Amino acid sequence: MHKGILDTVISGKVLVIFIICFFSSLPANSATVYWGGVSFASWDDRQALFPNTSKFLCRGGGDCVDSNLDSWALGRVLNAEFSAFNLSTDLISPDQIEAVIMTPMITGESLAVVKDITNNKVSYIHVYRIYASLVFFEVGSGRLISAKPVVVQYTDTLPLIADSHAVSQNFARLANPVSGGVNLFDELFKRAVNTSPFSFSEKYARVASINIAPQALSELESTLDINAWKMQVSRQLEAYIVDATNGPLVPSIPGDHLTGEFAATFSSGSKVIKLPSEVGYEFSVDIAKFKEIVKIKRKQKTNCHAVKLILRLNGPFDTILEAPLTRTKRSCGVIAADKQLDKTYYFTQSLYSLLKESAASLSAKPNKEFLKRAAPKSKGVDKQFIKAWESALDSSW
């Protein structure tokens, strides 16, 4: 394992496959949503693409029948509260014309291992992440209704790199409620507390691309899987935007090509889930520069991991948002002079912080303090953020 970041984020394929089982009973209440169980992006390749999460999926009996993703999710959804619909755990046939299904879909996982040296003592920071989306879709038409993405994370510091058993257990703790702490399914179901899955949005947005300039790329670890890293950044931004705005985002489909549909495989056959035919609004991020600044003063040093980027929102006819943003002083920390930091890890964390604050300013009242700090030379950038929110994310009209 490399001493820098080890990323096992898997980009997957364009084909997204669900394995979901359903009973055959027609919904009697139009305000009822049916539970679909846990699903995976690219089911056929789940063991290769999601090696640490897919092992906790157990179907068809066996020793893990009471300790698996389905049972963990079901236990949490039965305790969840939804104000706009009733949840039924009766399973339905995919042949039914009218029914709305809700499924937690695992879309990615990652493990970053960062070597840390302080006072000549070596330790390893382990960052575990699971990426998922709570997906609502109509069975009869196959139309996507909404998707609520989430990223959950657990960080552990050890004197040695974790073995396979420890890695497995730490991924499990993100999904298994008995582990305590942040829980994947609780976070997903929180996103649906006020979701109305019976009305289709008239507009959709998506995170279309993450681009990185050669100058910025040269500051990252040369062994980094840059495509997987960009997919991870895209998923983080997607989750930040939905958290901040509850806007109608189309979920990211990993792969080299986007299509207007993906397959859903049920126990009794297959259905095609149709993405919106037109996604009129596309967010993109152009990362222009990463810059490390180090100032040593006696036994301490100030270490900064500055980020410069452009956040864009392109609409059907023009560019609605084009904001040059930087994170400088907020990226700094005072550490021991002999402490060695992994630049890739800290640049990534600084980037996430900037994207999270940017997403939070996509509103009717952007954070002017943030915009003044992050875009001091951009006049009227607050109006661009307001227009971006009104155009692509405000679902109140």
Side-chain angles (χ1 to χ4, degrees):
M1 186 174 295
H2 196 276
K3 66 180 180 180
I5 286 185
L6 170 66
D7 269 315
T8 60
V9 180
I10 308 297
S11 62
K13 297 182 178 179
V14 173
L15 186 64
V16 181
I17 299 179
F18 295 121
I19 298 294
I20 310 174
C21 301
F22 295 90
F23 287 117
S24 57
S25 60
L26 186 67
N29 186 343
S30 62
T32 297
V33 169
Y34 288 83
W35 174 241
V38 178
S39 55
F40 279 80
S42 195
W43 171 263
D44 288 341
D45 300 318
R46 67 193 183 282
Q47 292 180 336
L49 302 180
F50 317 103
N52 297 292
T53 353
S54 63
K55 67 177 62 176
F56 297 108
L57 185 67
C58 174
R59 291 197 169 114
D63 294 337
C64 69
V65 69
D66 295 323
S67 183
N68 61 77
L69 285 171
D70 276 333
S71 63
W72 298 340
L74 182 60
R76 301 319 297 165
V77 79
L78 292 176
N79 290 326
E81 295 183 359
F82 307 106
S83 62
F85 61 88
N86 299 315
L87 182 72
S88 173
T89 55
D90 289 341
L91 301 179
I92 68 170
S93 167
D95 297 326
Q96 297 296 352
I97 297 175
E98 295 182 359
V100 173
I101 304 298
M102 180 178 80
T103 173
M105 181 176 69
I106 308 295
T107 59
E109 64 176 47
S110 71
L111 169 60
V113 180
V114 182
K115 187 177 182 179
D116 181 85
I117 303 175
T118 305
N119 296 325
N120 296 318
K121 183 179 179 181
V122 177
S123 59
Y124 295 89
I125 303 170
H126 296 65
V127 183
Y128 303 84
R129 292 188 180 97
I130 297 178
Y131 304 85
S133 193
L134 190 64
V135 175
F136 294 85
F137 63 94
E138 190 177 57
V139 173
S141 67
R143 294 177 67 186
L144 174 76
I145 299 172
S146 68
K148 304 292 183 181
V150 72
V151 183
V152 291
Q153 173 180 316
Y154 171 68
T155 303
D156 194 18
T157 302
L158 300 171
L160 298 171
I161 294 176
D163 59 22
S164 59
H165 176 73
V167 168
S168 178
Q169 292 304 305
N170 283 325
F171 272 105
R173 73 183 296 148
L174 287 170
N176 188 349
V178 302
S179 301
V182 65
N183 179 264
L184 171 66
F185 300 113
D186 284 346
E187 295 303 311
L188 283 168
F189 301 142
K190 285 178 186 177
R191 270 59 176 184
V193 168
N194 298 312
T195 295
S196 177
F198 304 103
S199 58
F200 293 91
S201 177
E202 296 297 322
K203 56 186 177 182
Y204 288 92
R206 73 180 180 193
V207 177
S209 64
I210 305 295
N211 309 301
I212 182 166
Q215 182 180 2
L217 182 61
S218 66
E219 294 295 323
L220 301 179
E221 177 60 53
S222 61
T223 59
L224 180 68
D225 183 338
I226 191 61
N227 289 327
W229 182 84
K230 289 194 290 186
M231 177 57 72
Q232 180 177 340
V233 174
S234 178
R235 286 176 175 145
Q236 290 281 169
L237 177 56
E238 188 177 87
Y240 292 152
I241 291 173
V242 173
D243 275 352
T245 69
N246 202 32
L249 259 69
V250 174
S252 298
I253 297 180
D256 298 328
H257 305 284
L258 290 173
T259 66
E261 59 187 33
F262 55 85
T265 302
F266 299 84
S267 60
S268 59
S270 296
K271 298 291 288 186
V272 171
I273 297 178
K274 300 175 183 178
L275 297 179
S277 57
E278 294 183 2
V279 180
Y281 302 93
E282 294 189 335
F283 286 94
S284 64
V285 178
D286 293 341
I287 304 168
K289 183 183 291 186
F290 288 131
K291 185 175 182 179
E292 185 179 42
I293 303 169
V294 180
K295 294 183 179 180
I296 300 176
K297 186 176 182 180
R298 298 179 182 177
K299 294 184 177 181
Q300 292 184 326
K301 65 180 177 182
T302 300
N303 202 315
C304 309
H305 293 87
V307 181
K308 182 179 180 180
L309 59 80
I310 296 176
L311 176 64
R312 288 189 177 88
L313 174 64
N314 290 320
F317 307 109
D318 57 3
T319 298
I320 298 169
L321 171 67
E322 189 170 37
L325 304 168
T326 59
R327 189 170 191 263
T328 53
K329 293 182 180 179
R330 292 291 181 101
S331 74
C332 301
V334 178
I335 57 177
D338 67 337
K339 186 176 179 67
Q340 302 297 316
L341 298 180
D342 185 299
K343 290 197 301 181
T344 298
Y345 175 78
Y346 285 95
F347 279 135
T348 303
Q349 297 306 109
S350 190
L351 172 64
Y352 286 167
S353 295
L354 183 55
L355 292 178
K356 186 174 184 178
E357 286 191 285
S358 301
S361 286
L362 292 164
S363 73
K365 296 181 179 180
N367 186 331
K368 291 187 176 181
E369 187 275 330
F370 161 69
L371 294 178
K372 183 178 180 180
R373 167 171 33 93
K377 297 181 181 180
S378 299
K379 295 182 179 180
V381 70
D382 58 328
K383 295 179 181 179
Q384 290 189 50
F385 272 82
I386 294 171
K387 186 177 179 181
W389 170 74
E390 290 177 341
S391 300
L393 301 167
D394 179 16
S395 56
S396 63
W397 58 276

